[in-house]
Amino acid sequence: MSVGVLFVCLGNICRSPTAEAVFRRQVADAGLAGRVRIDSAGTGAWHVGKAPDVRAQAAARQRGYDLSALRARQVHAGDFNDFDYLLAMDRDNLAVLQRMAPAGARARLALTLDFAPTAALSEVPDPYYGGPEGFAQVLDLLEAAGTGLLEELRGRLT
Ligand code: 4NP
């Protein structure tokens, strides 16, 4: 049995590709790489085909995550049945997913930070128009959420 997780933000060039890389490493470190399928997508289409924002790549690289091979794509209806979890970075994007969801879809829709209940925030702030500290905060939040999500998936996979 395997589990699929799709991280979703607005552009798929800052937060969700970072989430994808962070969680991929956490899953690999837990020895579950073959059991969890991880991807990311944006609700918007402006950046489709582009690599992650250079500032997101730089912040991630400082913690050993390589985002360079990732390319932005937009969420599509098939994602709601291809994945078990669609995890949005903020309430705006969660609302878009809730409106898009086909009737009877398999995926559970939630906020990514639902898996980091002790974090100070419930949404991952959009770092696009801010400075480098925003990108470091994104990494802090996503590392915390990934830890909680991994615990939930361990329960499903064992
Ligand atoms: P993301 O950040 O949703 O974390 O990828 C953004 C990227 C691009 C834009 C906004 C947010 N934009 O307005 O183009």
Side-chain angles (χ1 to χ4, degrees), residues 79-152:
D79 289 323
F80 293 83
N81 283 305
D82 288 345
F83 291 90
D84 298 283
Y85 294 85
L86 265 59
L87 300 182
M89 295 296 140
D90 56 42
R91 289 190 177 82
D92 286 348
N93 285 297
L94 180 59
V96 173
L97 294 178
Q98 286 164 340
R99 283 198 298 274
M100 278 181 77
R106 147 184 168 205
R108 173 175 159 196
L109 310 184
L111 288 172
T112 306
L113 291 185
D114 287 351
F115 294 95
T118 63
L121 300 176
S122 58
E123 303 176 280
V124 182
D126 182 351
Y128 192 67
Y129 294 105
E133 67 287 348
F135 289 87
Q137 181 189 37
V138 166
L139 282 155
D140 291 341
L141 292 167
L142 292 173
E143 286 173 342
T147 301
L149 179 59
L150 186 57
E151 284 315 304
E152 161 140 341

Side-chain angles (χ1 to χ4, degrees), residues 20-36 38 63-65 143 146-147 150-151 154:
E20 176 182 347
V22 166
F23 196 52
R24 186 163 285 138
R25 188 161 88 196
Q26 291 175 324
V27 163
D29 288 350
L32 294 171
R35 311 283 308 279
V36 184
I38 305 163
R63 298 194 194 186
Y65 305 109
E143 286 173 342
T147 301
L150 186 57
E151 284 315 304
R154 272 187 214 280

